[in-house]
Structures are given as structure tokens and as C-alpha cells.
């Protein structure tokens, strides 16, 4: 479950706009920002970063994002 992996339930992830930034290892914040910039510019992004787990440690996460537009817009 999300709570077991990240220490927070899905509600926290959906309602806290900065959740993933707060969970990102400080040394990986630049990678996350570059990925977000790439996603905004191209609609796609891939990167690997460390995310804080529910035990206070970090896990490597590979993220792949692709924006899907309604009616191909």
C-alpha cells in the first residue's frame, strides 16, 4: 500500500501539492525539477530519484511520465 511504501496514504499524496518534493532526497531535488521542466516542455519525462519511505529511509524510484490529452489536444 502507499502508506507502507511512503508513510502516508493516497489522500496525502493527492491533497498535498508538494508531497513528492518533500519526499525526494535533498540530493535528487535538481533531478526532479529537471524532470518536471522536461515534462512541461515535451509532455514526457524519465528519471530515477530516491524517495523517503515509511521507515525514514530512502528507496530508489524510477519515474516515467507521459501527459495524455483529452481528444489528442
Amino acid at each position: 500500500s502507499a502508506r507502507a511504501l511512503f508513510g502516508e496514504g493516497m489522500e496525502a499524496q493527492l491533497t498535498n501539492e508538494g508531497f513528492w518534493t518533500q519526499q525526494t532526497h535533498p540530493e535528487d531535488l535538481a533531478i526532479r525539477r529537471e524532470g518536471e521542466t522536461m515534462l512541461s516542455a515535451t509532455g514526457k519525462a524519465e528519471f530515477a530519484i530516491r524517495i523517503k519511505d515509511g521507515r525514514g529511509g530512502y528507496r530508489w524510484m524510477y519515474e516515467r511520465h507521459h501527459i495524455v490529452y483529452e481528444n489528442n489536444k
Side-chain angles (χ1 to χ4, degrees), residues 36-51:
E36 290 170 351
T37 299
M38 182 66 71
L39 183 62
S40 294
T42 67
K44 298 178 184 178
E46 294 183 47
F47 51 90
I49 57 174
R50 290 164 285 183
I51 297 291

Side-chain angles (χ1 to χ4, degrees), residues 5-6 9 12-14 16-17 19 26 34 42-43 46-47 54 57:
L5 286 174
F6 307 116
Q13 296 173 38
L14 297 172
N16 178 354
E17 187 175 319
F19 178 83
E34 289 173 20
T42 67
E46 294 183 47
F47 51 90

Side-chain angles (χ1 to χ4, degrees), residues 10-67:
M10 288 299 297
E11 183 176 328
Q13 296 173 38
L14 297 172
T15 59
N16 178 354
E17 187 175 319
F19 178 83
W20 291 110
T21 299
Q22 294 165 6
Q23 298 300 105
T24 300
H25 190 284
E27 294 177 7
D28 297 339
L29 287 171
I31 296 168
R32 173 170 288 289
R33 282 191 294 269
E34 289 173 20
E36 290 170 351
T37 299
M38 182 66 71
L39 183 62
S40 294
T42 67
K44 298 178 184 178
E46 294 183 47
F47 51 90
I49 57 174
R50 290 164 285 183
I51 297 291
K52 191 181 304 180
D53 66 20
R55 297 179 181 165
Y58 286 90
R59 295 175 181 250
W60 280 101
M61 300 287 285
Y62 177 76
E63 297 189 27
R64 181 183 298 166
H65 302 271
H66 179 91
I67 296 175

